[in-house]
Amino acid sequence: MYSTDIFMITKPKALTLFILPIVSFLVNINAIKAQVPIDSIKKVIQNEVAGKRSKSITVGIVNMGGKQVFAEGIKSDADPSLPDGNTIYEIGSITKVFTSLVLSKLSLRHELNLNDPISKYLPADVKSPSKNGKEISLLSLSTHRSGMPRFPYNVDPKNLDQTYQDYTVKELYQYLSTFKPPYEIDSRWRYSNVGYGILGNMLSVIEEKDFETLIRDEITIPLHLNNTLITLSKKQKANLAIGHAETGTPVGLTELGAIAPGGALCSSVDDLLEFAAANLALKQTDLLPAMELTHKLQAKKDGDNTYTTMGWTLVDSTGNVLFKDGGMPGYTTFIGIDKKNKIGVVVLSNSNNTVTDIGRYILEPGRKINPYQYSWSLLDTLRSTYKNKGIDATLSLYGKLKVKKDSGLTFNENQLNYLGNELRTNKKIKEAIKIYQLNLKEYPNSLLALESLGEAYRRTGELQNAKNCFEKALSLEPQNEHWIFILGKLDSKKINKS
């Protein structure tokens, strides 16, 4: 997501990509080891980029001999240069490891206790959820055992392409005050970005610093991680690998508002290798005791055979191999460490297609890559037809292609939904609605189709049509608090009867 045997790699052949030295400790390329041969890793990322898994994949490996970085692909179609160790990517949920490391540091400085109930740090008017008399603790948030879901329900963005951009701390605390734990606190693992948003905001309050400044002062300055941050300079933006949706369409950076502590950081392979080296004690740092605390096994995960720590995933109870992966609308990422064999692995990609299997393949012997199969030929065809012939020709072509049952085309609600989203983003809202309507006709019980069409209707003032969509969604998923929240907002407005 176990053997810790290690392949002893002989001196690599001349690289067709590139190797970068690390400044923190002695470099000896001959001493670089990996769990699988370097040439095999290079072949994997070459094949995966060629197969359209991503526009680029950059890999870094670090051990006692130094580091090795190699990449395949391009930063973007507009900038076809090869990424390198300094190229910047959004790292998504790897941010959680940094957030938990701050928590660990503050606990070792006795500024807080990991088992403190969150009510100790909440404003007086914010209710702290509890279950059978037990409150959520700071550690509960860090280990995903608060019971909170992946995202909050009370989200209503102005920009559908930036869902959390305008999500405020006030709204976050409104969510918290209404949250009712579905089971005993700390009894189960449930991944929660909203939980990390609450944790990071509490740490900011305790230290009287905004989240980005907190990460900078506590981690990135001590470790000299100059490209690990949220707010990019002009120079850093110029060195950004542009993110891409899984369809290959460029997307911008994502703003996460109040849940930024769960996934807002950007970084580079070089920076994350430095971070991995520090976690492996390959470089001296005062952060090591706090890092080792975050490595400690806390609980078994539900749903697979791994374990949770403060921010990391442990692959087994020995505690030797840890990893964290991340995903954003335009990026997927991986960092892993093998504490026994002193090896760190980083994989960064500017596409919303997972690279976790690649990272774990490099780190853990015996694991295999799941070769990516590009499945967006139907979307490509429809997009090209719309560009050249318009919306009516696109709708007509879809019907003909479905009748033909071309084995090379994948038919599902995602194909049409992506096309609709692209049209909406490009201010072609009427055309987008036609695509969404077709999608709902094809997949009448698809929550994705219902939400996309409902949101489009809301933004064109067709409130009754929007209400119809969300009422059906609620009938299909009666416990979904988001549908209830949106219907409440619709009920508070005058419904357009047209």
Side-chain angles (χ1 to χ4, degrees), residues 398-417:
Y398 177 87
K400 293 175 182 177
L401 292 174
K402 189 167 184 183
V403 170
K404 288 177 64 176
K405 298 181 179 179
D406 188 331
S407 61
L409 301 178
T410 300
F411 286 83
N412 57 42
E413 63 264 49
N414 294 310
Q415 305 280 334
L416 288 169
N417 198 72

Side-chain angles (χ1 to χ4, degrees), residues 317-430:
S317 59
T318 66
N320 289 323
V321 180
L322 302 96
F323 74 89
K324 185 70 189 86
D325 49 8
M328 297 296 276
Y331 300 87
T332 49
T333 57
F334 175 93
I335 183 171
I337 56 174
D338 180 339
K339 297 179 70 174
K340 179 180 178 181
N341 294 304
K342 299 292 184 182
I343 293 175
V345 175
V346 175
V347 185
L348 302 184
S349 163
N350 59 335
S351 171
N352 189 23
N353 286 312
T354 183
V355 291
T356 300
D357 58 330
I358 296 175
R360 296 194 66 181
Y361 163 77
I362 298 170
L363 193 65
E364 301 171 61
R367 296 192 68 87
K368 296 182 179 180
I369 297 293
N370 303 314
Y372 178 70
Q373 300 293 322
Y374 186 75
S375 61
W376 302 103
S377 295
L378 175 60
L379 172 61
D380 293 340
T381 300
L382 296 175
R383 184 192 293 126
S384 176
T385 301
Y386 172 77
K387 182 178 179 180
N388 295 315
K389 297 182 180 180
I391 189 65
D392 291 338
T394 304
L395 299 173
S396 175
L397 177 64
Y398 177 87
K400 293 175 182 177
L401 292 174
K402 189 167 184 183
V403 170
K404 288 177 64 176
K405 298 181 179 179
D406 188 331
S407 61
L409 301 178
T410 300
F411 286 83
N412 57 42
E413 63 264 49
N414 294 310
Q415 305 280 334
L416 288 169
N417 198 72
Y418 263 116
L419 180 58
N421 289 349
E422 290 175 11
L423 292 170
R424 173 183 51 73
T425 298
N426 291 317
K427 311 301 181 185
K428 303 292 184 181
I429 189 66
K430 292 182 179 180

Side-chain angles (χ1 to χ4, degrees), residues 100 103 113-118 128-129 134-148 179 181 183-192 194-196 198-199 202 298-299 308-311:
S100 278
L103 173 64
N113 188 298
L114 295 179
N115 293 312
D116 283 342
I118 62 174
S128 178
K134 182 176 181 178
E135 275 192 62
I136 296 169
S137 69
L138 297 174
L139 186 61
S140 305
L141 297 175
S142 176
T143 59
H144 299 287
R145 292 184 296 157
S146 67
M148 280 186 272
F179 173 67
Y183 38 75
E184 297 287 337
I185 307 299
D186 293 327
S187 67
R188 292 178 58 185
W189 180 89
R190 187 186 192 191
Y191 195 81
S192 181
V194 63
Y196 261 84
I198 293 166
L199 175 61
M202 287 183 170
Q298 296 291 339
T308 185
T309 77
M310 293 171 61

Side-chain angles (χ1 to χ4, degrees), residues 93 96 147-152 164 175 189-196 259:
S93 286
K96 294 179 174 67
M148 280 186 272
R150 184 174 290 263
F151 292 110
Y164 298 96
Y175 165 81
W189 180 89
R190 187 186 192 191
Y191 195 81
S192 181
N193 291 300
V194 63
Y196 261 84
I259 64 169

Side-chain angles (χ1 to χ4, degrees), residues 57-344:
I57 300 175
T58 305
V59 173
I61 300 170
V62 64
N63 73 349
M64 289 182 288
K67 76 170 181 179
Q68 195 166 1
V69 177
F70 39 99
E72 183 71 19
I74 59 177
K75 293 180 182 177
S76 70
D77 290 332
D79 179 5
S81 60
L82 183 71
D84 60 28
N86 289 312
T87 301
I88 295 173
Y89 298 76
E90 277 189 321
I91 61 172
S93 286
I94 293 177
T95 302
K96 294 179 174 67
V97 175
F98 287 78
T99 303
S100 278
L101 180 54
V102 173
L103 173 64
S104 178
K105 283 191 70 177
L106 298 189
S107 74
L108 293 179
R109 294 205 304 248
H110 305 292
E111 297 183 36
L112 53 79
N113 188 298
L114 295 179
N115 293 312
D116 283 342
I118 62 174
S119 59
K120 184 174 179 178
Y121 306 103
L122 288 173
D125 61 343
V126 178
K127 180 183 177 183
S128 178
S130 64
K131 184 79 170 182
N132 294 330
K134 182 176 181 178
E135 275 192 62
I136 296 169
S137 69
L138 297 174
L139 186 61
S140 305
L141 297 175
S142 176
T143 59
H144 299 287
R145 292 184 296 157
S146 67
M148 280 186 272
R150 184 174 290 263
F151 292 110
Y153 70 81
N154 61 334
V155 178
D156 186 21
K158 293 179 182 178
N159 181 356
L160 289 173
D161 296 319
Q162 289 283 0
T163 306
Y164 298 96
Q165 183 181 51
D166 47 9
Y167 191 69
T168 65
V169 173
K170 180 180 178 181
E171 290 170 313
L172 180 65
Y173 283 158
Q174 286 173 344
Y175 165 81
L176 181 63
S177 292
T178 61
F179 173 67
K180 296 180 180 179
Y183 38 75
E184 297 287 337
I185 307 299
D186 293 327
S187 67
R188 292 178 58 185
W189 180 89
R190 187 186 192 191
Y191 195 81
S192 181
N193 291 300
V194 63
Y196 261 84
I198 293 166
L199 175 61
N201 278 285
M202 287 183 170
L203 298 177
S204 293
V205 169
I206 292 168
E207 293 301 293
E208 298 181 342
K209 298 175 182 179
D210 66 82
F211 177 72
E212 184 169 18
T213 301
L214 184 61
I215 295 296
R216 183 194 68 198
D217 291 349
E218 298 290 346
I219 303 175
T220 63
I221 289 179
L223 292 180
H224 307 289
L225 308 182
N226 297 322
N227 286 322
T228 302
L229 68 178
I230 298 174
T231 307
L232 302 181
S233 67
K234 184 176 180 180
K235 181 178 180 181
Q236 288 166 328
K237 288 179 180 178
N239 199 27
L240 177 72
I242 301 301
H244 294 79
E246 56 190 318
T247 62
T249 304
V251 298
L253 294 173
T254 302
E255 297 182 40
L256 291 178
I259 64 169
L265 286 174
C266 296
S267 191
S268 66
V269 167
D270 273 357
D271 270 17
L272 291 178
L273 286 178
E274 289 282 345
F275 186 71
N279 276 271
L280 291 165
L282 292 175
K283 57 183 288 185
Q284 292 186 345
T285 169
D286 293 338
L287 283 165
L288 184 60
M291 289 176 164
E292 290 182 334
L293 179 56
T294 69
H295 300 165
K296 183 179 177 181
L297 187 155
Q298 296 291 339
K300 180 77 172 60
K301 282 190 178 183
D302 292 278
D304 64 25
N305 59 355
T306 62
Y307 299 80
T308 185
T309 77
M310 293 171 61
W312 296 85
T313 291
L314 276 171
V315 303
D316 60 38
S317 59
T318 66
N320 289 323
V321 180
L322 302 96
F323 74 89
K324 185 70 189 86
D325 49 8
M328 297 296 276
Y331 300 87
T332 49
T333 57
F334 175 93
I335 183 171
I337 56 174
D338 180 339
K339 297 179 70 174
K340 179 180 178 181
N341 294 304
K342 299 292 184 182
I343 293 175

